[in-house]
Amino acid sequence: QKEVEQDPGPLSVPEGAIVSLNCTYSNSAFQYFMWYRQYSRKGPELLMYTYSSGNKEDGRFTAQVDKSSKYISLFIRDSQPSDSATYLCAMKEVGNAGKSTFGDGTTLTVKP
Amino acid sequence: GAVVSQHPSRVICKSGTSVKIECRSLDFQATTMFWYRQFPKQSLMLMATSNEGSKATYEQGVEKDKFLINHASLTLSTLTVTSAHPEDSSFYICSVSGLAGEQFFGPGTRLTVL
């Protein structure tokens, strides 16, 4: 069993829809949670970073962490065609020299 | 966040040759860098952790003699794929670890071995 399981997708939604991307994890030592966006043939870029349970909002993006359920989500409001990409969740233990464990990614297509 | 560059962005080589990929941290002194490989439609696979001034730490199953890593300064790590073969064709990405453990990735290098 993988330490991090990500909803595989692919996901296709109309422009303006609310998108929910989800990951579950089994390692209770994970304390830092990140979401990355990766466009085709590009390196991933950091979208959201959080370390506590609850919600963190940044523009149209909201990261949600529920440590008791070992579940994290990324919500995208008013989705745009430019949001079409692969989204990766990642988690990290305290210390561990920055080494993160990644989900397999969910590919999102937002149709105009 | 940190700005990371990679060079070259794309390389095509013949089987049996060696290829060197550079990863530079442009605005951040990185004692630790990470090297990943990504096959089409698959997630990132961590290959090794590059430590400035010391030997790299390789993940299980990654041949350290085939994938040579040198991290000679706080801003530069290199990955050399020695005697490359077609199965080494992949997208290679490096990253720098930020102060809080988040990672900043380079744009990637696409290697094609003929």
Side-chain angles (χ1 to χ4, degrees), chain A residues 40-59:
Chain A
S40 181
R41 298 176 182 264
K42 302 289 184 184
E45 60 177 313
L46 180 67
L47 274 180
M48 300 287 284
Y49 171 87
T50 184
Y51 53 85
S52 58
S53 282
N55 293 349
K56 181 178 181 180
E57 190 173 318
D58 184 2

Side-chain angles (χ1 to χ4, degrees), chain A residues 32 34 36 38 40-46 49 88 92 96-100 102-105, chain B residues 32 34 36 38 42-44 46 49 59 91 93 97 100-108 110:
Chain A
Y32 299 99
M34 292 143 287
Y36 295 88
Q38 185 177 23
S40 181
R41 298 176 182 264
K42 302 289 184 184
E45 60 177 313
L46 180 67
Y49 171 87
L88 300 158
K92 191 180 104 57
N96 210 17
K99 185 175 169 180
S100 299
F102 287 82
D104 287 343
Chain B
T32 302
F34 300 92
Y36 294 85
Q38 187 177 38
Q42 295 188 23
S43 190
L44 301 168
L46 179 65
T49 303
E59 295 299 302
F91 193 49
I93 313 173
S97 182
E102 72 278 40
Q103 292 190 34
F104 300 98
F105 289 87
R110 186 161 302 280

Side-chain angles (χ1 to χ4, degrees), chain A residues 99-112:
Chain A
K99 185 175 169 180
S100 299
T101 302
F102 287 82
D104 287 343
T106 302
T107 297
L108 170 68
T109 301
V110 181
K111 297 185 176 179

Side-chain angles (χ1 to χ4, degrees), chain B residues 52-72:
Chain B
E52 189 265 337
S54 64
K55 291 183 179 180
T57 304
Y58 290 82
E59 295 299 302
Q60 192 173 10
V62 178
E63 299 175 59
K64 62 183 171 129
D65 294 329
K66 181 166 184 63
F67 298 99
L68 301 178
I69 292 173
N70 184 284
H71 192 157

Side-chain angles (χ1 to χ4, degrees), chain A residues 13-54:
Chain A
V13 301
E15 184 175 354
I18 297 174
V19 176
S20 172
L21 304 165
N22 308 295
C23 289
T24 58
Y25 61 96
S26 56
N27 184 352
S28 57
F30 287 141
Q31 294 296 319
Y32 299 99
F33 306 91
M34 292 143 287
W35 285 96
Y36 295 88
R37 176 175 63 193
Q38 185 177 23
Y39 292 113
S40 181
R41 298 176 182 264
K42 302 289 184 184
E45 60 177 313
L46 180 67
L47 274 180
M48 300 287 284
Y49 171 87
T50 184
Y51 53 85
S52 58
S53 282

